[in-house]
PDB file of all heavy atoms in Angstrom:
ATOM      1  N   VAL A 383     110.398 112.068 113.354  1.00 98.00           N
ATOM      2  CA  VAL A 383     110.271 112.268 114.796  1.00 98.00           C
ATOM      3  C   VAL A 383     110.276 110.880 115.433  1.00 98.00           C
ATOM      4  O   VAL A 383     109.446 110.029 115.124  1.00 98.00           O
ATOM      5  CB  VAL A 383     108.986 113.018 115.167  1.00 98.00           C
ATOM      6  CG1 VAL A 383     108.911 113.219 116.677  1.00 98.00           C
ATOM      7  CG2 VAL A 383     108.928 114.367 114.459  1.00 98.00           C
ATOM      8  N   THR A 384     111.235 110.648 116.308  1.00 98.00           N
ATOM      9  CA  THR A 384     111.430 109.323 116.891  1.00 98.00           C
ATOM     10  C   THR A 384     110.510 109.100 118.086  1.00 98.00           C
ATOM     11  O   THR A 384     109.826 110.012 118.567  1.00 98.00           O
ATOM     12  CB  THR A 384     112.883 109.147 117.342  1.00 98.00           C
ATOM     13  OG1 THR A 384     113.108 109.959 118.508  1.00 98.00           O
ATOM     14  CG2 THR A 384     113.863 109.544 116.248  1.00 98.00           C
ATOM     15  N   ALA A 385     110.530 107.869 118.590  1.00 97.00           N
ATOM     16  CA  ALA A 385     109.735 107.533 119.774  1.00 97.00           C
ATOM     17  C   ALA A 385     110.161 108.333 120.995  1.00 97.00           C
ATOM     18  O   ALA A 385     109.376 108.517 121.926  1.00 97.00           O
ATOM     19  CB  ALA A 385     109.846 106.038 120.062  1.00 97.00           C
ATOM     20  N   ALA A 386     111.402 108.829 121.012  1.00 97.00           N
ATOM     21  CA  ALA A 386     111.889 109.665 122.116  1.00 97.00           C
ATOM     22  C   ALA A 386     111.522 111.131 121.934  1.00 97.00           C
ATOM     23  O   ALA A 386     111.834 111.961 122.786  1.00 97.00           O
ATOM     24  CB  ALA A 386     113.404 109.521 122.244  1.00 97.00           C
ATOM     25  N   GLY A 387     110.883 111.479 120.816  1.00 98.00           N
ATOM     26  CA  GLY A 387     110.505 112.865 120.551  1.00 98.00           C
ATOM     27  C   GLY A 387     111.593 113.684 119.905  1.00 98.00           C
ATOM     28  O   GLY A 387     111.458 114.905 119.784  1.00 98.00           O
ATOM     29  N   ALA A 388     112.680 113.048 119.460  1.00 98.00           N
ATOM     30  CA  ALA A 388     113.762 113.761 118.775  1.00 98.00           C
ATOM     31  C   ALA A 388     113.440 113.864 117.295  1.00 98.00           C
ATOM     32  O   ALA A 388     112.780 112.996 116.716  1.00 98.00           O
ATOM     33  CB  ALA A 388     115.085 113.029 118.975  1.00 98.00           C
ATOM     34  N   VAL A 389     113.918 114.923 116.668  1.00 98.00           N
ATOM     35  CA  VAL A 389     113.764 115.110 115.224  1.00 98.00           C
ATOM     36  C   VAL A 389     115.099 114.781 114.572  1.00 98.00           C
ATOM     37  O   VAL A 389     116.116 115.425 114.874  1.00 98.00           O
ATOM     38  CB  VAL A 389     113.339 116.557 114.883  1.00 98.00           C
ATOM     39  CG1 VAL A 389     113.161 116.723 113.375  1.00 98.00           C
ATOM     40  CG2 VAL A 389     112.049 116.922 115.613  1.00 98.00           C
ATOM     41  N   VAL A 390     115.107 113.768 113.717  1.00 98.00           N
ATOM     42  CA  VAL A 390     116.340 113.329 113.083  1.00 98.00           C
ATOM     43  C   VAL A 390     116.167 113.329 111.576  1.00 98.00           C
ATOM     44  O   VAL A 390     115.053 113.343 111.050  1.00 98.00           O
ATOM     45  CB  VAL A 390     116.774 111.931 113.567  1.00 98.00           C
ATOM     46  CG1 VAL A 390     116.936 111.902 115.081  1.00 98.00           C
ATOM     47  CG2 VAL A 390     115.791 110.862 113.113  1.00 98.00           C
ATOM     48  N   ARG A 391     117.298 113.276 110.902  1.00 98.00           N
ATOM     49  CA  ARG A 391     117.331 113.230 109.440  1.00 98.00           C
ATOM     50  C   ARG A 391     117.835 111.848 109.035  1.00 98.00           C
ATOM     51  O   ARG A 391     118.807 111.343 109.602  1.00 98.00           O
ATOM     52  CB  ARG A 391     118.266 114.332 108.931  1.00 98.00           C
ATOM     53  CG  ARG A 391     118.422 114.470 107.445  1.00 98.00           C
ATOM     54  CD  ARG A 391     119.228 115.743 107.166  1.00 98.00           C
ATOM     55  NE  ARG A 391     119.577 115.882 105.759  1.00 98.00           N
ATOM     56  CZ  ARG A 391     120.750 115.545 105.229  1.00 98.00           C
ATOM     57  NH1 ARG A 391     121.707 115.048 106.022  1.00 98.00           N
ATOM     58  NH2 ARG A 391     120.974 115.699 103.947  1.00 98.00           N
ATOM     59  N   ALA A 392     117.173 111.237 108.074  1.00 98.00           N
ATOM     60  CA  ALA A 392     117.579 109.916 107.592  1.00 98.00           C
ATOM     61  C   ALA A 392     117.893 110.005 106.108  1.00 98.00           C
ATOM     62  O   ALA A 392     117.039 110.392 105.300  1.00 98.00           O
ATOM     63  CB  ALA A 392     116.484 108.890 107.835  1.00 98.00           C
ATOM     64  N   THR A 393     119.134 109.675 105.757  1.00 98.00           N
ATOM     65  CA  THR A 393     119.584 109.643 104.370  1.00 98.00           C
ATOM     66  C   THR A 393     120.516 108.451 104.217  1.00 98.00           C
ATOM     67  O   THR A 393     120.775 107.713 105.177  1.00 98.00           O
ATOM     68  CB  THR A 393     120.337 110.926 103.973  1.00 98.00           C
ATOM     69  OG1 THR A 393     121.614 110.939 104.654  1.00 98.00           O
ATOM     70  CG2 THR A 393     119.566 112.188 104.350  1.00 98.00           C
ATOM     71  N   ALA A 394     121.066 108.297 103.035  1.00 97.00           N
ATOM     72  CA  ALA A 394     122.030 107.218 102.809  1.00 97.00           C
ATOM     73  C   ALA A 394     123.275 107.391 103.666  1.00 97.00           C
ATOM     74  O   ALA A 394     123.968 106.408 103.961  1.00 97.00           O
ATOM     75  CB  ALA A 394     122.404 107.160 101.337  1.00 97.00           C
ATOM     76  N   ASP A 395     123.570 108.635 104.097  1.00 98.00           N
ATOM     77  CA  ASP A 395     124.781 108.920 104.870  1.00 98.00           C
ATOM     78  C   ASP A 395     124.512 109.217 106.338  1.00 98.00           C
ATOM     79  O   ASP A 395     125.411 109.075 107.175  1.00 98.00           O
ATOM     80  CB  ASP A 395     125.532 110.109 104.251  1.00 98.00           C
ATOM     81  CG  ASP A 395     125.962 109.846 102.824  1.00 98.00           C
ATOM     82  OD1 ASP A 395     126.460 108.738 102.557  1.00 98.00           O
ATOM     83  OD2 ASP A 395     125.777 110.730 101.970  1.00 98.00           O
TER      84      ASP A 395
END
Side-chain angles (χ1 to χ4, degrees):
V383 181
T384 72
V389 181
V390 303
R391 181 172 173 262
T393 70
D395 300 316

